[in-house]
Amino acid sequence: MTVIVLCALAAWVAQRAAAVFHDGVRPFLLDFVQGRSTRRATATVSFGLSAGFVFGLGAPLALSTGVLNPWLVFLPTDVLGLVSPRRWLAAALGAAWGAVVVFGVGGADSLVHKLPVDFVTAMQQMATPILHLFALFPVLAVARQFGRLSGALCGVLELALTVMSLKLWPKIFPGSIAMAAGVLVLVGLALHRDTGRRGTADTGPGRPAGAEEDPTAGLFRAGALRLRSHLPLLMLLGAGVCLLCQAHVFGGGEASGFLIAKGDHGGAAQVDFYRALGFIPLIATTALASGAYGVAGFTLVYPVGYLLPGPWLALAAGALLFAAEVMLLSWAGRALGGLPSVRDASGQLRNAITETLHLAVLLGSLAAANAMGGGPGILIVGGLYLFNEATGRPVTRVAAAPAAVVAGGVLLNVLYWMHLFTPVAR
């Protein structure tokens, strides 16, 4: 019921262009709100950007972990809300999608486990590379922004902390402390560079008295006012997302989904908190420019929800957190404008997360292919992935490998029924 109601609310909010989940769709909402683009055109953009993530990443991850994720739950509600000419229709379609998610994932999971080639169980092989390689994303970000030496030192620090964690704190996810140290190193270096620039600027000539205001300031002001006008609705959305996270049936990222499936809610909270640091500047900027917020806000609601002990507290915390985020958006935009290195660090974190997960998901998908079909499984899954690369990536890169595992699993079952393939012994 929580999923169904939340999907209805998310689609209703998207229909009003008050919030969408996909960061790439949000900038297009400004033209829609101002009447320069049609509802159908905006929904088409949303579908084009989202379809690959829904079927290539969201559905396979939900099947392999048994935990829902935002790509499966919220990307379709973006499309359904934007395409609906009436609010009641958006809510009805969102609720219907929520029902499909709840009953469809469970039914598909039960069905696949009965097949001769159980590719869902095989996809659990993705957990190890995703969990352990994900911890390296701060190292990539440091190396890209501050050079090889800084990146190498950060990598050595993370490796040492990981080894210490395995030895001294075996019950703690070993990558959590390493990730924390890596992110602190990146933020510390960025702040050091920004404060150095500010000190140099303070000794130079002041701003001319007649200097013009930043041309984006007026646009950001209008966006902030529009967001505040939707504050009660956004608070309801925050309450619902936090409640879903508190139920521990939802994970905000690839790594956190596997951690929640293992019952490591503290580790999942850490992973999603560090992930949020890479997306806060992007979400803040696009929200202020378009006047539309994110369905999950700054995504800080994920770790908060994982750690809360009860549903009523989650409802209150989610609503208050979204209220605070919306009210502080203008300040966040101004603060980020004065910290260019911190803003760049956020972009480097996003890119590093994408690259790290691409490698981890690819390795995990090949391991799953081997588990379900041995050499033929690797041939089919690897071949589908390479075909996607050769044809211009019609399926986005990070989603191509899991989608190939599902397609490969279906094909191997067909080959089995044709007496052309013998499943790998379980």
Side-chain angles (χ1 to χ4, degrees):
M1 186 58 69
T2 299
V3 174
I4 292 171
V5 172
L6 182 57
C7 285
L9 179 60
W12 189 44
V13 171
Q15 197 277 342
R16 301 181 64 172
V20 291
F21 178 77
H22 201 302
D23 296 320
V25 174
R26 208 169 298 119
F28 292 93
L29 291 183
L30 180 62
D31 286 341
F32 173 64
V33 170
Q34 296 182 349
R36 295 192 297 268
S37 179
T38 64
R39 179 175 292 280
R40 183 176 180 179
T42 308
T44 300
V45 169
S46 179
F47 178 81
L49 292 174
S50 303
F53 284 100
V54 176
F55 300 107
L57 187 63
L61 282 177
L63 287 172
S64 60
T65 62
V67 176
L68 300 178
N69 57 72
W71 303 284
L72 182 64
V73 175
F74 295 133
L75 287 180
T77 60
D78 286 356
V79 179
L80 294 172
L82 289 171
V83 80
S84 301
R86 298 287 184 268
R87 293 176 187 173
W88 67 266
L89 179 60
L93 291 175
W97 175 252
V100 168
V101 168
V102 171
F103 299 108
V105 170
D109 185 70
S110 300
L111 174 64
V112 172
H113 283 311
K114 297 176 182 177
L115 294 175
V117 180
D118 183 359
F119 55 87
V120 167
T121 299
M123 287 181 69
Q124 294 173 5
Q125 299 289 327
M126 297 170 61
T128 300
I130 288 177
L131 289 176
H132 293 278
L133 282 175
F134 187 76
L136 291 175
F137 75 85
V139 177
L140 293 184
V142 170
R144 289 273 171 78
Q145 188 169 1
F146 298 102
R148 298 176 185 174
L149 179 59
S150 297
L153 293 174
C154 185
V156 170
L157 174 63
E158 284 209 11
L159 177 60
L161 289 172
T162 300
V163 173
M164 287 176 59
S165 298
L166 289 169
K167 192 71 175 177
L168 301 177
W169 308 289
K171 294 184 178 180
I172 298 177
F173 171 51
S176 59
I177 297 176
M179 271 189 292
V183 171
L184 286 174
V185 168
L186 177 65
V187 173
L189 290 171
L191 287 172
H192 181 265
R193 178 176 287 182
D194 282 336
T195 52
R197 286 174 176 169
R198 185 174 297 173
T200 303
D202 289 344
T203 61
R207 180 179 175 180
E212 295 184 1
E213 184 183 17
D214 182 352
T216 62
L219 177 64
F220 279 14
R221 234 186 336 263
L225 289 174
R226 185 172 189 273
L227 288 166
R228 290 176 184 176
S229 70
H230 289 113
L231 186 58
L233 193 58
L234 296 176
M235 290 175 68
L236 276 177
L237 195 59
V241 175
C242 196
L243 178 62
L244 190 62
C245 293
Q246 193 277 329
H248 301 143
V249 296
F250 178 93
E254 298 88 341
S256 55
F258 284 105
L259 287 169
I260 288 173
K262 291 181 173 183
D264 187 358
H265 306 139
Q270 277 196 292
V271 167
D272 277 351
F273 175 75
Y274 302 136
R275 184 190 181 99
L277 296 179
F279 287 87
I280 286 175
L282 173 65
I283 295 169
T285 303
T286 56
L288 287 169
S290 64
Y293 204 41
V295 167
F298 286 158
T299 71
L300 295 172
V301 69
Y302 297 158
V304 170
Y306 302 153
L307 298 176
L308 290 176
W312 294 110
L313 190 57
L315 287 169
L320 291 175
L321 181 59
F322 265 45
E325 290 178 2
V326 171
M327 297 306 293
L328 292 173
L329 262 178
S330 297
W331 174 85
R334 289 194 301 270
L336 290 169
L339 297 170
S341 293
V342 172
R343 199 168 58 247
D344 291 346
S346 174
Q348 295 292 353
L349 279 177
R350 287 198 308 276
N351 294 334
I353 287 171
T354 301
E355 290 184 38
T356 305
L357 285 174
H358 168 242
L359 176 61
V361 168
L362 178 58
L363 292 175
S365 297
L366 291 175
N370 183 61
M372 72 181 182
I378 292 176
L379 174 66
I380 293 171
V381 172
L384 289 172
Y385 177 84
L386 292 174
F387 182 76
N388 184 70
E389 290 285 305
T391 53
R393 296 177 191 156
V395 179
T396 186
R397 216 175 189 188
V398 74
V405 175
V406 175
V410 172
L411 180 56
L412 288 174
N413 278 292
V414 172
L415 292 175
Y416 169 80
W417 288 321
M418 295 173 66
H419 303 289
L420 297 174
F421 172 74
T422 302
V424 174
R426 299 181 184 177

